[in-house]
Amino acid sequence: MILLLVACATPSPRASDPDADDRARYVEGLASGECEPIRDAALRDDCREATAEAPADCEAVGDATVRGECWFQLAESTKDASLCPRAVPFADDCALHVLSRGFATWLPKGARPGEHEASAEARITAAGLAVDDMRPWSAFYRQVLGGTRPIDRAACDAVAAPARREACKRTGITMYQDLLNHARDRKLYPCDGGPLPALLAYAPDPELDAVRAARRDLCPSR
């Protein structure tokens, strides 16, 4: 991978017009992680961002925007959303992205709504997001609801906080719409009237019944 990176290395457009020696130092820096010898400041920052493996690497980046990109990249590679508050001006996007991917790494198999909200809240706070921001909660409940079959939105009733309970239920609808899209695109929907595949199975739910009934695109030839 490093050989490919070095072979294709092109100085960042943020850099000025570096001389040949500096271009060579840039390529060497991408391979070794040693970016200090690069003279052009923008090129040196680009190298630091591309090779960052620890907080000190991002702290050394001079340009504020590139430094934010570096923290975003580091948070993603380490799966540590607590680094995202440093990823200014991308802190919000960083937190949502890394949190969404990270929920699957610690939630136990078979987790149900109402069981792990305290742990989720701690991670949301550490990522720099407000606990009353429903976006990370939606990502959390998508992971929880998606981990069991049949999908059971009634399980959201176990969530104590009303706003989170509603986020759980709405997330279940959005998630099911996505599953219907998947089934449609891969021609998995039973247009012959047969039983739903396991992918689309859900506990009795009038709202999901209505969602399916409204989706005229699932069987366009009918």
Side-chain angles (χ1 to χ4, degrees):
M1 189 65 183
I2 287 293
L3 291 177
L4 178 62
L5 181 63
V6 171
C8 300
T10 301
S12 166
R14 288 185 287 252
S16 56
D17 187 15
D19 58 31
D21 288 342
D22 222 21
R23 287 177 181 271
R25 284 187 284 269
Y26 173 75
V27 172
E28 291 170 3
L30 291 178
S32 66
E34 293 294 328
C35 303
E36 292 308 310
I38 302 171
R39 295 174 181 172
D40 184 276
L43 205 58
R44 186 167 58 248
D45 280 350
D46 192 70
C47 176
R48 286 168 172 162
E49 179 197 356
T51 60
E53 295 181 344
D57 299 323
C58 292
E59 290 169 355
V61 175
D63 182 83
T65 300
V66 183
R67 187 164 57 248
E69 293 172 350
C70 185
W71 282 113
F72 193 150
Q73 174 181 294
L74 187 62
E76 183 177 33
S77 65
T78 60
K79 300 180 177 60
D80 185 359
S82 69
L83 299 178
C84 289
R86 304 185 188 186
V88 179
F90 313 107
D92 201 57
D93 290 339
C94 175
L96 289 171
H97 178 73
V98 179
L99 275 173
S100 297
R101 297 183 61 183
F103 286 134
T105 65
W106 64 268
L107 271 170
K109 185 177 181 180
R112 303 285 287 175
E115 293 179 347
H116 301 282
E117 270 75 0
S119 294
E121 183 173 317
R123 286 168 168 79
I124 291 168
T125 300
L129 295 174
V131 294
D132 59 355
D133 184 343
M134 290 300 111
R135 295 174 301 167
W137 287 108
S138 181
F140 172 72
Y141 291 122
R142 176 178 281 268
Q143 183 65 41
V144 172
L145 292 174
T148 59
R149 289 293 184 276
I151 294 170
D152 184 9
R153 289 196 317 130
C156 296
D157 291 335
V159 179
R164 296 179 192 175
R165 188 186 316 128
E166 181 64 17
C168 180
K169 288 182 175 291
R170 289 183 177 276
T171 297
I173 292 178
T174 301
M175 185 180 73
Y176 198 71
Q177 291 278 24
D178 292 342
L179 291 174
L180 288 174
N181 291 341
H182 177 86
R184 175 203 60 203
D185 295 344
R186 288 157 181 76
K187 303 189 184 317
L188 300 175
Y189 193 80
C191 293
D192 59 358
L196 289 172
L199 173 73
L200 299 177
Y202 59 91
D205 190 325
E207 288 191 70
L208 291 187
D209 290 341
V211 166
R212 280 207 302 136
R215 290 291 301 267
R216 303 298 183 188
D217 60 317
L218 298 174
C219 301
S221 60
R222 291 201 315 192

